């Protein structure tokens, strides 16, 4: 049932697992049962965006530990394991059984465990006489990480193994490719099991996405045929399944659109991911000690690293993560003002209460004031929480603003938007590149690559030389360029280059200072750019496929339906109705810009739901690193 | 959706057993399993489990008698309610005693746990166990206090409704006593008048007055209209006064309950801040010490600097004098 988001489903599955795999009951004051949670790094990545430590405590988890750490024996407490079924994890579990650390063991494997490994555990349990202690063994099928209500990522831990670089490197062997495909298919299968739906698959031909689609189709088909153990029977679908339509799963390859990961961005969440250290909904920043001048000769102040969690409970974040940055700045200011007004209200009560002690008509007024006092006191925790969030966002937004100002990201954004929409440029590319105080060498490289990717014909040799020299002067590493040239040549052979659609950003002139007196976000010199709605290639493809529009680009996509008895090679869809729900999965990596674009697209179409997933999440600098590795061959 | 493969696991255990038997590797499973039953359970967890069972018993007890306690059947005592007020008080008292013993036990366990030198993980585990137990106790307390609040409210409402009738009667009773002193005073005057009659003739007026009063006193029993009105007005006034007083008192009662609740919250917050303030105090004391030492160091440095300067000046003056001397010597 996709109207319940994927995040809720995964959280519900985790909570059920923590309740010893029995369904949760709403009990008033249920007796606490305490337990210990043990996970490996994969499990930790899955749990940390969804459940905070406090929620774990509420469910009775007293300790949560990593599998491969030193753990002490707590011999009268049940232990819940949540691990991947790898060799080392199994060995460690067997070791735990032999040292008899806990009273009973509930083993939950993130993805399905093979029979032979199960027998390894069985023999270790026999050896340690602990068979009765292993109370339950479960396959959880939760091998994916949900970051937002409608966004998921495959993994964070060993993502080099399935990164864009790993898939596209020129010396890849068949076995490597097979393992990568198997990993991706396994995670996608777990995702579909948790979602409880069997989708219709569509993918373009001739690239990694097609391989993944073929394997996934086979796996789904096998599972459906196996009537005894099928994971998609109507019981597992749950009682809320009212949608009779099947969702559409579109598998795309990163090679379809290389410009978007390099693009500079202007929305809040994407900016935070691009500019700061943002993983698994957690921002790590150095604490800025403020604009003080340290006296000469003093030791430099030590900067502490602070972590901020941007969670689903943070209402400001949920509201503004897709807004353009100036709007975010304004909203933070507004929130701060409302908070200050409420604080003053509470402080005013103090003076009123002081007066009332002498007044004779105290009783009538007292009721009013007591009620006010009670409401003030009960709203204090809320106020404190609000203050904390405002501080958090102020810090984050200030850091982002610093970056924007030093690197002149707004100029880059505007220029790239113009490049991608093929409108006229007011400044030549060479000027942009040789401008010494705009942007780091990475920014310039990104700009040039976008220009190269989006131009209809490659620039002439003379121009290329000029550009190369300018880039080298600016200090850029030129190896990504080699790779992009190869890719462009290949892509040209295969199909026409992706069209980025009509887009553009209107500059609304400089931010007036008058509006921001008293605000910390004096964005002088930073242009207030307004984003016009435009569709990235991924969104356009999704639109075509969901609405069953005919388009030369997507007509050639393959069509798979795992529920059909006979697989067909045709690409003619059997179903002529537009889809209400869709899942987009990009093999090779994705980022927040695409996600935001999809969210905006869905906002304009009520009643439709779209989920976005990718095999890994990278920002532009990480992607550039991978490209340079590829270009160095 | 998770798949339960426990049966699969048990099947693989059997397979492994048979395989081991076939190979000839044997494990003495049966003997050890019987011995295994008596695993050492730590003292701490036993005691914590005892506390939890107590709290659960209290909760069940409260829930069982909740309906009777609240007596939602209305003010009229029906035959279905078997709770008298004394029984309710008994329940309250028992619940309070049990809550107190449980929280004492939790605190005791906490101090013991902190004294035991155990590993960090076990300490954390025990601390979390005690936190969970305390939260459970708090939720059961909430049940109890909710019940109690409902009961108190009902009693207050009942008293308010039942007070209106006897009030009027009380007021009338109050107003009749003023009448009897009047009558007795007139009787006294009457006696005096009779005594003075024979003696004093100049008291004729007074006599007349007395007689008039006496006459009036005689008519007292029928209550002249003015006096009826006066008494009625007085009654009204007293009734309204009492009513307003009662209202005020009730309001104050409610406010005091609220204030006590607020007080609790404040006290909690203040206690929380105590540790913070202690820390800050320590830091500030340390800071003042450091600043003092820093001042001392600076003073020394200045002195050294000054001393150094003196020596330099002396050296330069000596050099210039030596130069002058050499010059004079040379010439």
């Amino acid at each position: 049932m996709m109207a319940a988001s994927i995040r809720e489903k995964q959280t519900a599955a985790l909570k059920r697992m923590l309740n010893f795999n029995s369904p949760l009951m709403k009990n008033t004051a249920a007796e606490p049962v305490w337990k210990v949670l043990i996970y490996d790094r994969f499990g930790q990545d899955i749990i940390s965006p969804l459940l905070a430590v406090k929620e774990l405590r509420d469910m009775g988890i007293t300790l949560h530990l990593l599998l491969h750490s030193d753990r002490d024996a707590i011999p009268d407490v049940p232990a819940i394991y949540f691990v991947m079924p790898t060799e080392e994890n199994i060995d460690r579990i067997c070791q735990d059984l032999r040292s008899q650390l806990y009273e009973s063991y509930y083993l939950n494997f993130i993805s399905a465990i093979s029979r032979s490994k199960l027998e390894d555990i069985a023999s270790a349990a026999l050896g340690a006489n602990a068979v009765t202690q292993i109370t339950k063994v479960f396959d959880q099928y939760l091998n994916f990480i949900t970051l937002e209500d409608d966004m998921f990522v495959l993994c964070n831990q060993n993502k080099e193994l399935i990164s864009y670089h790993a898939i596209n490197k020129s010396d890849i062997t068949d076995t490597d490719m097979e393992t990568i495909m198997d990993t991706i298919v396994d995670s996608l299968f777990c995702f579909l099991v948790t979602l409880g739906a069997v989708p219709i698959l569509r993918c373009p031909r001739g690239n990694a996405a097609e391989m993944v689609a073929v394997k996934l189709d086979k796996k789904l088909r096998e599972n459906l045929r196996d009537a005894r153990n099928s994971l998609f029977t109507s019981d597992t679908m749950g009682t809320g399944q009212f949608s009779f339509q099947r969702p559409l799963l579109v598998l795309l390859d990163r090679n379809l659109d290389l410009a978007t990961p390099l693009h500079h961005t202007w929305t809040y969440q994407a900016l935070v991911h691009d500019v700061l250290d943002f993983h698994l909904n957690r921002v790590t920043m150095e604490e800025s000690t403020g604009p003080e001048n340290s006296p000469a000769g003093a030791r430099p102040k030590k900067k502490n690293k602070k972590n901020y969690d941007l969670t689903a409970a943070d209402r400001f974040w949920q509201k503004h993560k897709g807004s353009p940055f100036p709007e975010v700045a304004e909203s933070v200011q507004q929130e701060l003002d409302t908070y200050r007004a409420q604080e003053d209200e509470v402080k005013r009560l103090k003076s009123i209460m002081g007066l009332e002690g002498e007044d004779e008509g105290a009783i009538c007024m007292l009721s009013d004031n007591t009620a006010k006092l009670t409401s003030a006191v009960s709203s204090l925790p809320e106020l404190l929480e609000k203050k904390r969030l405002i501080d958090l966002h102020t810090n984050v937004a200030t850091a982002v603003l610093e970056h924007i100002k030093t690197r002149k990201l707004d100029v880059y954004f505007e220029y790239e938007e113009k490049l991608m929409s093929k409108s006229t440029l007011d400044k030549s590319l060479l000027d942009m590149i040789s401008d010494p105080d705009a942007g780091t060498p990475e920014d310039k490289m990104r700009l040039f690559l976008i220009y190269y990717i989006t131009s209809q014909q490659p620039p002439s040799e003379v121009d290329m030389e000029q550009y190369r020299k300018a880039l080298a002067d600016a200090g850029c590493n030129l190896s990504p360029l080699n790779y992009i040239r190869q890719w462009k040549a290949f892509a040209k052979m295969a199909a026409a280059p992706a069209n980025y659609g009509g887009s553009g950003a209107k500059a609304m002139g400089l931010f007036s200072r008058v509006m921001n007196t008293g605000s910390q976000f004096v964005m002088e010199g930073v242009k207030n750019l307004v984003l016009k709605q435009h569709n990235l290639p991924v969104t356009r493809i999704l639109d075509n496929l969901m609405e069953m529009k005919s388009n030369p680009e997507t007509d050639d996509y393959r069509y798979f339906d795992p529920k059909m008895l006979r697989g067909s090679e045709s690409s003619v869809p059997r179903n002529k109705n537009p889809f209400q729900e869709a899942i987009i999965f990009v093999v090779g990596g994705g980022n927040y810009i695409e996600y935001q674009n999809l969210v905006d697209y869905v906002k304009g179409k009520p009643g439709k739901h779209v989920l976005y997933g990718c095999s890994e999440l990278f920002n532009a600098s990480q992607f550039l690193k991978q490209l340079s590795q590829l270009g160095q061959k | 959706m998770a798949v339960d493969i426990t049966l699969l696991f048990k099947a693989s255990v059997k397979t492994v057993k048979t395989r081991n038997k076939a190979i000839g590797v044997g494990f003495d499973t049966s003997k050890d399993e019987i011995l295994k039953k008596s695993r050492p359970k730590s003292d701490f967890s036993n005691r914590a489990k005892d506390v939890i069972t107590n709290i659960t018993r209290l909760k069940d007890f409260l829930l069982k008698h909740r309906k009777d306690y609240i007596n939602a059947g209305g003010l009229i005592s029906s035959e279905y309610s078997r709770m008298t007020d004394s029984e309710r008080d008994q329940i309250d008292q028992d619940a309070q005693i049990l809550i107190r013993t449980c929280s004492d036990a939790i605190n005791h366990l906490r101090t013991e746990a902190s004294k035991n030198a155990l590993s960090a993980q076990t300490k954390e585990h025990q601390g979390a166990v005690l936190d969970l137990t305390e939260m459970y106790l708090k939720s059961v307390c909430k049940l109890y206090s909710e019940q109690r609040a409902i009961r108190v409210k009902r009693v207050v409402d009942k008293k308010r409704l039942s007070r209106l009738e006897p009030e009027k009667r009380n007021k009338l009773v109050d107003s009749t006593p003023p009448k009897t002193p009047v009558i007795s005073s007139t009787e006294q005057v009457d006696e005096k008048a009779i005594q003075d009659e024979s003696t004093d003739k100049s008291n004729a007026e007074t006599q007349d007055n007395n007689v008039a009063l006496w006459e009036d006193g005689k008519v007292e029993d029928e209550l002249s209209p003015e006096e009826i009105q006066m008494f009625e007005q007085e009654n009204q006034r007293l009734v309204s006064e009492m009513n307003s007083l009662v209202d005020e008192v009730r309001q104050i009662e409610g406010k005091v309950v609220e204030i006590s609740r607020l007080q609790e919250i404040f006290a909690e917050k203040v206690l929380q801040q105590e540790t913070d303030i202690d820390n800050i105090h320590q830091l500030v004391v340390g800071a003042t010490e450091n600043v003092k030492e820093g001042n001392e160091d600076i003073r020394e440095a200045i002195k050294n600097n000054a001393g150094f300067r003196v020596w330099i000046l002396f050296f330069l003056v000596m050099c210039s004098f030596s130069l002058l001397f050499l010059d004079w010597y040379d010439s």
Side-chain angles (χ1 to χ4, degrees):
Chain A
M1 181 55 187
M2 271 166 78
S5 68
I6 184 69
R7 184 185 357 221
E8 282 167 33
K9 287 205 173 152
Q10 206 178 16
T11 319
L14 279 177
K15 282 197 176 156
R16 211 178 41 233
M17 171 188 87
L18 293 176
N19 199 27
F20 301 126
N21 283 301
S22 51
L24 291 167
M25 288 177 304
K26 284 266 182 205
N27 247 344
T28 56
E31 214 178 79
V33 181
W34 44 75
K35 34 193 123 99
V36 174
L37 175 66
I38 302 176
Y39 43 71
D40 60 348
R41 291 203 186 275
F42 286 92
Q44 191 179 25
D45 286 338
I46 295 176
I47 297 181
S48 59
L50 294 174
L51 296 172
V53 175
K54 186 174 167 312
E55 286 174 51
L56 288 178
R57 281 281 153 90
D58 286 341
M59 302 218 53
I61 307 276
T62 56
L63 281 182
H64 44 92
L65 305 163
L66 271 181
L67 180 66
H68 289 287
S69 59
D70 288 324
R71 279 173 283 121
D72 304 319
I74 306 180
D76 41 16
V77 166
I80 301 184
Y81 283 76
F82 184 57
V83 295
M84 285 288 273
T86 62
E87 278 299 322
E88 347 166 289
N89 290 352
I90 305 276
D91 286 338
R92 187 61 201 259
I93 293 179
C94 298
Q95 197 187 340
D96 286 347
L97 286 171
R98 280 191 283 272
S99 12
Q100 307 206 341
L101 292 178
Y102 308 109
E103 179 202 355
S104 57
Y105 299 81
Y106 292 81
L107 302 175
N108 296 284
F109 293 106
I110 300 178
S111 65
I113 185 173
S114 66
R115 190 65 195 254
S116 58
K117 294 209 177 85
L118 205 56
E119 288 183 5
D120 286 341
I121 302 184
S123 54
L126 272 176
N129 292 322
V131 181
T132 48
Q133 288 177 332
I134 299 190
T135 326
K136 284 201 194 229
V137 183
F138 266 82
D139 279 336
Q140 286 292 338
Y141 290 102
L142 287 175
N143 190 10
F144 58 98
I145 303 175
T146 309
L147 293 177
E148 303 280 341
D149 276 346
D150 43 5
M151 175 171 174
F152 68 98
V153 168
L154 285 194
C155 71
N156 192 35
Q157 271 311 307
N158 291 334
K159 58 181 181 176
E160 310 81 49
L161 294 175
I162 57 170
S163 67
Y164 180 76
H165 167 71
I167 298 177
N168 286 298
K169 59 185 183 190
S170 45
D171 54 353
I172 188 169
T173 61
D174 278 340
T175 41
D176 284 345
M177 199 60 175
E178 283 297 311
T179 10
I180 296 178
M181 292 297 128
D182 282 335
T183 331
I184 298 182
V185 167
D186 181 46
S187 299
L188 271 177
F189 182 70
C190 295
F191 171 74
L192 289 173
V193 170
T194 314
L195 201 58
V198 180
I200 295 181
L201 297 142
R202 303 216 58 186
C203 65
R205 288 179 195 267
N207 52 21
E210 191 184 7
M211 292 204 263
V212 170
V214 166
K215 277 190 185 249
L216 185 60
D217 178 57
K218 202 164 84 134
K219 190 154 184 174
L220 282 169
R221 219 177 271 273
E222 277 172 11
N223 196 275
L224 283 171
R225 298 289 163 266
D226 186 5
R228 241 180 339 132
N229 292 338
S230 166
L231 296 162
F232 294 98
T233 57
S234 49
D235 327 320
T236 59
M237 298 271 213
T239 51
Q241 182 84 350
F242 290 125
S243 91
F244 296 101
Q245 264 222 341
R246 291 164 60 193
L248 171 70
L249 172 59
V250 179
L251 291 158
L252 297 172
D253 193 292
R254 183 77 259 158
N255 285 319
L256 167 73
D257 170 20
L258 283 186
T260 310
L262 297 168
H263 190 27
H264 286 94
T265 170
W266 200 239
T267 57
Y268 192 30
Q269 187 179 35
L271 263 177
V272 171
H273 186 229
D274 193 16
V275 154
L276 301 172
D277 187 7
F278 184 55
H279 289 292
L280 293 179
N281 290 345
R282 173 176 282 209
V283 179
T284 312
M285 297 190 338
E286 285 180 351
E287 212 171 53
S288 56
T289 48
E292 304 154 16
N293 299 327
S294 53
R299 263 178 297 142
K301 294 190 174 51
K302 254 194 305 183
K303 291 192 180 234
N304 311 329
K305 280 202 169 278
K306 277 202 67 123
N307 288 334
Y308 297 115
D309 282 319
L310 296 166
T311 58
D314 184 346
R315 268 201 330 232
F316 182 82
W317 174 246
Q318 292 303 318
K319 209 164 80 150
H320 287 106
K321 57 188 183 191
S323 332
F325 194 64
E327 218 180 281
V328 168
E330 269 180 59
S331 314
V332 170
Q333 197 54 33
Q334 273 173 5
E335 292 278 312
L336 196 59
D337 290 336
T338 32
Y339 166 75
R340 286 221 180 103
Q342 281 175 325
E343 212 182 19
D344 290 338
E345 177 84 29
V346 173
K347 283 199 186 126
R348 214 165 38 85
L349 272 181
K350 193 174 74 159
S351 54
I352 291 182
M353 294 313 288
L355 283 174
E356 279 310 314
E358 309 138 16
D359 204 341
E360 278 213 357
I363 294 175
C364 333
M365 296 291 279
L366 196 59
S367 63
D368 199 27
N369 280 329
T370 324
K372 266 199 253 174
L373 194 59
T374 325
S375 62
V377 166
S378 53
S379 67
L380 265 179
E382 270 177 47
L383 273 183
L384 286 174
E385 179 66 18
K386 217 168 160 185
K387 175 101 196 341
R388 187 185 71 90
L389 288 176
I390 293 178
D391 281 341
L392 193 159
H393 283 288
T394 315
N395 287 342
V396 169
T398 321
V400 171
L401 188 61
E402 283 296 315
H403 278 268
I404 293 182
K405 279 205 220 160
T406 46
R407 287 157 64 176
K408 298 226 182 103
L409 291 177
D410 49 332
V411 174
Y412 277 98
F413 173 68
E414 199 185 347
Y415 200 82
E416 282 167 15
E417 287 281 313
K418 289 210 187 107
L419 274 179
M420 282 163 67
S421 66
K422 303 192 185 14
S423 46
T424 52
L425 309 166
D426 51 358
K427 212 173 156 191
S428 92
L429 188 58
L430 208 51
D431 287 338
M432 289 289 294
I433 296 181
S434 20
D435 190 352
D437 43 44
T440 64
E442 268 188 10
D443 292 325
K444 298 187 181 153
M445 196 64 199
R446 280 158 72 175
L447 181 61
F448 181 69
L449 286 174
I450 292 181
Y451 165 72
Y452 194 84
I453 293 171
T454 55
S455 57
Q456 293 286 20
Q457 53 278 95
S460 61
E461 271 308 312
V462 172
D463 285 339
M464 277 303 292
E465 272 313 305
Q466 262 191 328
Y467 287 133
R468 269 187 203 263
K469 203 164 104 30
L471 286 169
D473 286 340
C476 311
N477 180 4
L478 289 175
S479 26
L481 193 52
N482 303 337
Y483 178 72
I484 296 287
R485 287 182 96 166
Q486 281 175 349
W487 170 83
K488 181 114 188 189
F490 180 71
K492 227 184 165 106
M493 283 194 313
N499 184 13
Y500 287 86
S503 72
K506 288 192 325 225
M508 273 187 13
L510 298 175
F511 228 91
S512 65
R513 274 247 220 154
V514 177
M515 252 165 53
N516 281 332
T517 46
S519 150
Q520 292 170 292
F521 298 106
V522 179
M523 295 173 63
E524 11 170 326
V526 172
K527 300 192 189 171
N528 184 11
L529 298 168
V530 170
L531 288 174
K532 279 215 300 230
Q533 178 57 273
H534 67 296
N535 285 337
L536 294 175
V538 169
T539 322
R540 258 180 322 106
I541 293 178
L542 175 69
D543 186 43
N544 290 340
L545 288 174
M546 261 178 97
E547 306 288 340
M548 313 302 264
K549 292 186 202 158
S550 137
N551 185 308
E553 208 177 354
T554 56
D555 279 345
D556 197 31
Y557 277 22
R558 290 190 66 181
Y559 177 88
F560 294 99
D561 185 353
K563 274 195 176 161
M564 287 202 314
L565 286 172
R566 262 177 313 125
S568 63
E569 277 292 316
S570 75
S571 49
V572 175
R574 297 281 291 263
N575 186 3
K576 293 293 177 193
N577 305 328
F579 287 96
Q580 298 299 107
E581 290 158 357
I583 311 168
I584 289 220
F585 187 79
V586 183
V587 175
N591 69 357
Y592 281 103
I593 306 177
E594 279 179 350
Y595 168 64
Q596 196 51 48
N597 202 259
L598 282 170
V599 166
D600 291 337
Y601 166 77
V602 167
K603 258 192 262 202
K605 302 214 174 231
K608 301 222 181 230
H609 292 104
V610 175
L611 298 181
Y612 177 71
C614 45
S615 55
E616 62 158 341
L617 197 60
F618 43 51
N619 62 10
S621 40
Q622 291 161 348
F623 187 53
L624 208 56
K625 245 187 260 182
Q626 290 190 18
L627 288 179
S628 48
Q629 275 176 339
L630 285 168
Q632 266 161 9
K633 298 296 159 48
Chain B
M1 307 301 154
V3 174
D4 189 351
I5 51 176
T6 319
L7 296 172
L8 203 58
F9 177 71
K10 297 241 159 66
S12 31
V13 167
K14 279 207 188 81
T15 355
V16 172
K17 244 194 231 175
T18 44
R19 202 191 307 148
N20 285 342
K21 260 200 206 116
I23 302 176
V25 181
F27 292 112
D28 293 332
T29 51
S30 50
K31 206 168 27 140
D32 293 319
E33 263 180 25
I34 298 174
L35 286 176
K36 194 55 60 62
K37 298 292 178 180
S38 58
R39 286 180 63 87
K41 283 197 185 267
S42 82
D43 187 36
F44 173 83
S45 68
N46 280 345
R47 303 233 297 270
K49 282 216 178 78
D50 286 338
V51 175
I52 295 232
T53 37
N54 279 344
I55 301 177
T56 319
R57 259 194 301 144
L58 172 65
K59 182 179 82 156
D60 293 336
F61 178 69
L62 283 175
L63 283 175
K64 193 166 64 140
H65 290 117
R66 187 168 227 203
K67 220 162 150 270
D68 291 335
Y69 189 94
I70 294 181
N71 190 14
L75 293 169
I76 317 161
S77 53
S78 64
E79 59 268 24
Y80 291 124
S81 76
R82 281 159 288 160
M83 282 247 166
T84 61
D85 269 342
S86 59
E87 282 182 14
R88 289 206 180 88
D89 287 333
Q90 183 68 22
I91 290 181
D92 282 347
Q93 237 176 349
D94 288 339
Q96 272 182 353
I97 293 176
L98 200 54
I99 290 175
R100 212 166 291 141
T101 38
C102 288
S103 68
D104 283 340
I106 292 177
N107 288 339
H108 194 57
L109 278 174
R110 212 182 271 275
T111 43
E112 262 193 36
S114 56
K115 267 190 292 183
N116 281 345
L118 289 169
S119 69
Q121 284 181 3
T122 339
K123 268 208 179 85
E124 200 185 322
H125 166 74
Q126 288 180 346
V129 163
L130 289 170
D131 285 338
L132 283 171
T133 329
E134 236 182 288
M135 260 173 34
Y136 185 46
L137 183 64
K138 269 202 192 107
S139 53
V140 172
C141 281
K142 213 160 66 110
L143 272 179
Y144 162 69
S145 57
E146 268 173 18
Q147 264 180 240
R148 194 124 190 273
I150 295 179
R151 176 193 172 192
V152 167
K153 191 165 161 300
R154 295 194 81 85
V155 165
V156 165
D157 284 343
K158 220 190 275 188
K159 280 210 182 118
R160 184 161 57 97
L161 283 174
S162 58
R163 235 182 237 162
L164 283 176
E165 277 302 315
E167 258 179 19
K168 286 231 172 68
R169 243 176 278 130
N170 279 344
K171 297 304 161 277
L172 289 173
V173 166
D174 283 340
S175 50
T176 41
K179 270 191 279 175
T180 44
V182 172
I183 296 175
S184 54
S185 64
T186 49
E187 278 178 4
Q188 275 180 357
V189 168
D190 189 16
E191 281 174 13
K192 253 189 154 173
I194 295 172
Q195 277 174 12
D196 289 352
E197 234 182 63
S198 52
T199 53
D200 204 354
K201 268 202 186 152
S202 59
N203 294 337
E205 277 187 11
T206 50
Q207 256 190 15
D208 282 327
N209 284 343
N210 286 344
V211 166
L213 260 177
W214 184 66
E215 294 254 358
D216 278 333
K218 240 169 84 166
V219 181
E220 273 292 337
D221 290 332
E222 280 102 43
L223 287 176
S224 69
E226 299 93 27
E227 283 182 355
I228 291 177
Q229 234 184 8
M230 218 176 65
F231 283 137
E232 263 186 26
Q233 275 178 8
E234 211 177 323
N235 284 352
Q236 297 276 356
R237 199 174 47 86
L238 284 170
V239 161
S240 54
E241 242 184 70
M242 289 300 160
N243 267 340
S244 61
L245 271 178
V246 160
D247 277 333
E248 287 171 4
V249 166
R250 213 175 307 118
Q251 271 188 343
I252 292 179
E253 207 183 306
K255 299 320 152 207
V256 165
V257 164
E258 272 189 52
I259 289 176
S260 74
R261 220 164 20 100
L262 288 172
Q263 189 79 357
E264 256 183 68
I265 299 177
F266 283 137
E268 213 184 290
K269 297 274 181 267
V270 166
L271 281 174
Q272 277 175 7
Q273 291 178 358
E274 188 188 347
T275 44
D276 288 333
I277 293 177
D278 277 335
N279 281 345
I280 295 175
H281 176 70
Q282 300 284 356
L283 285 173
V284 165
V285 165
T288 48
E289 296 289 312
N290 289 344
V291 166
K292 266 192 224 142
E293 283 177 26
N295 279 342
E296 293 296 327
D297 287 337
I298 291 177
R299 227 168 273 141
E300 270 192 51
I302 292 176
K303 259 193 290 189
N304 288 346
N305 215 9
F308 187 59
R309 223 178 285 143
V310 166
W311 283 109
I312 293 279
L313 273 173
F314 178 68
F315 174 69
L316 286 173
V317 166
M318 282 296 111
C319 279
S320 55
F321 273 129
S322 64
L323 271 174
L324 285 170
F325 174 70
L326 286 170
D327 187 44
W328 171 83
Y329 190 70
D330 222 10
S331 67

